[in-house]
Amino acid sequence: MLKGLLSKSVCGECRICCGFDSTDVWEMPVMNEETKNKLEALRPGTEFVRTKNSYITKCGELSDDEIFYCPALDKNTGCILGDEKPFDCKIWPYRVMNFKGSKVITVCPVCGEIFSRPLRELVDFLECGLAVKIDEYSNENPDIVKDYDFSYPILKVLGEIKQK
């Protein structure tokens, strides 16, 4: 989904989006049942936590310096889920968040490649159809809407959050 904005080689070298510490486990990607089942088949023993209608991988309590890597990450080849990775991963570093009852698209400040670019470029990329896809997907899958984090710049307001 982010072709034209991020290259596979830049993402492949970085992979910061696949590791979580104690301060950002809330960023864990939300998976539908199909993706969860595929990951479970590829990585037997992976544990999951059920959210309202979705799943996230269980990482347990992390110490301050501990990093939990997504079980879908193969350190040599990248994501073993390929094109079937969670929607959260497909749009990262964009994030869908709840800002005072409004659904907004933000950008994660830890992606150095993206965060170094002018915000106008990131907004323009959203306006080429990605914002519509994000809005539609998040309407059908409200579990991907995270609580707002003040360090994430808001790029687009999608409107009032619809309860499902």
Side-chain angles (χ1 to χ4, degrees):
M1 285 190 160
L2 299 182
K3 290 178 183 163
L5 189 63
L6 280 173
S7 71
K8 283 188 176 186
S9 63
V10 167
C11 289
E13 290 173 22
C14 175
R15 298 183 184 163
I16 195 168
C17 58
C18 302
F20 306 89
D21 65 23
S22 62
T23 66
D24 65 3
V25 292
W26 63 270
E27 276 270 27
M28 296 279 279
V30 174
M31 297 177 210
N32 60 27
E33 190 162 4
E34 183 180 332
T35 303
K36 173 213 164 264
N37 291 342
K38 180 168 183 172
L39 180 55
E40 212 166 29
L42 291 169
R43 294 271 198 240
T46 300
E47 294 183 59
F48 298 87
V49 175
R50 184 163 177 95
T51 61
K52 290 179 186 172
N53 300 303
S54 305
Y55 301 87
I56 58 171
T57 53
K58 183 177 182 179
C59 68
E61 294 293 319
L62 299 174
S63 63
D64 289 342
D65 60 345
E66 190 176 8
I67 303 287
F68 172 83
Y69 286 95
C70 177
L73 176 64
D74 178 295
K75 294 190 181 195
N76 296 317
T77 61
C79 184
I80 62 174
L81 294 171
D83 291 338
E84 297 177 55
K85 64 182 67 153
F87 189 81
D88 276 341
C89 301
K90 290 177 182 180
I91 65 167
W92 197 89
Y94 291 113
R95 278 283 164 253
V96 188
M97 294 184 164
N98 177 349
F99 179 73
K100 299 180 180 180
S102 289
K103 188 168 47 169
V104 298
I105 300 175
T106 66
V107 64
C108 180
V110 301
C111 179
E113 176 67 22
I114 291 296
F115 213 67
S116 66
R117 297 189 185 182
L119 290 179
R120 179 79 251 158
E121 181 180 345
L122 304 180
V123 172
D124 288 347
F125 192 82
L126 284 172
E127 296 302 333
C128 292
L130 183 58
V132 171
K133 289 178 184 174
I134 291 172
D135 192 32
E136 289 171 351
Y137 188 88
S138 61
N139 285 339
E140 293 298 315
N141 302 277
D143 288 353
I144 73 160
V145 180
K146 316 272 190 199
D147 290 334
Y148 181 69
D149 182 295
F150 71 91
S151 65
Y152 287 52
I154 294 173
L155 302 178
K156 183 167 182 66
V157 177
L158 296 172
E160 189 175 327
I161 294 180
K162 299 171 184 151
Q163 300 301 319
K164 208 173 179 191

